[in-house]
Amino acid sequence: KQDDPWADWHLVQLEEKLTAAGEHLTQQLSNIERVLNANKLMDVQVSESVKPMRVSIGFASSYAYWVARLILQYDEVVRAVLTAKHVAMISQEAANQLLNDAGATVRRVFESTARYRFTGLTRVDVLANNARIAEAEKRLDRTLDQVPADILDKTRRASYAPAIVGAGQVVGSDSATAAPDAGVAAIGSV
C-alpha cells in the first residue's frame, strides 16, 4: 500500500509458501486416504469429533483466511493419520513421521511471516539508492535483500496485495476497496 517493494516481495514469497503448503497437505491427505481405502473389505471412516468446535473468524487480511484454510487442511491430515494408525493400517512410527511433516509444513508458513519487518522505504528510495536504505538497514540491524526486478517494476505482485497508493497513482488489487472486516467466515473442525 505504501509502495514498499520489500513488503510486496514478502507477500509474493508468503503466497508461494501458502500455495506449496496447501499442495503438500493435499498430497499427504490423498496418500493417507489411499491407504485407508486400500482394503476393499473394510469401510474405514476418518475420525470426527462428536461435538465439533465452531468458531467465527474475521480478518483484515485475505492471507489470514488462507492460513485458516491451511489449518483446516492440517486438521484433516491429522485426523486421517490418527485413524489409519488406530485401525492398524500404518505404524506408530509412520504416523509420527507424517504428523511431524504436516506440522513442519504449517510452521514454515508461520515462521516466514515472523521474519518480515517494516522497512519504511519505497520504490523511489530503491531506484535513487538513497541514504534512507542505509538508515533502514541500521534500524533493522540487517542488510536488506535485493528486490527482484519484476517486483520492483510492479509487473509481479501477490494476488491479494493491497493497492499501491502513492504519487497520485493506484496500482494493484480490488481487495483494497473492501472494508477491513468485510469477510467473516465460520470454521469448524470435525
Side-chain angles (χ1 to χ4, degrees), residues 64-129:
Y65 287 101
W66 198 341
V67 169
R69 284 195 325 267
L70 188 70
I71 291 169
L72 292 174
Q73 279 186 276
Y74 171 72
D75 180 68
E76 281 186 287
V77 169
V78 169
R79 288 184 298 106
V81 167
L82 293 177
T83 299
K85 181 185 74 141
H86 179 73
V87 298
M89 295 183 117
I90 62 172
S91 68
Q92 177 71 42
E93 183 181 347
N96 287 342
Q97 288 174 343
L98 289 167
L99 294 173
N100 288 338
D101 182 59
T105 298
V106 174
R107 282 191 302 277
R108 277 191 291 277
V109 171
F110 282 104
E111 289 166 359
S112 73
T113 63
R115 286 192 288 267
Y116 173 73
R117 296 291 176 264
F118 175 71
T119 67
L121 301 170
T122 66
R123 285 174 171 81
V124 171
D125 296 320
V126 175
L127 295 172
N129 196 21

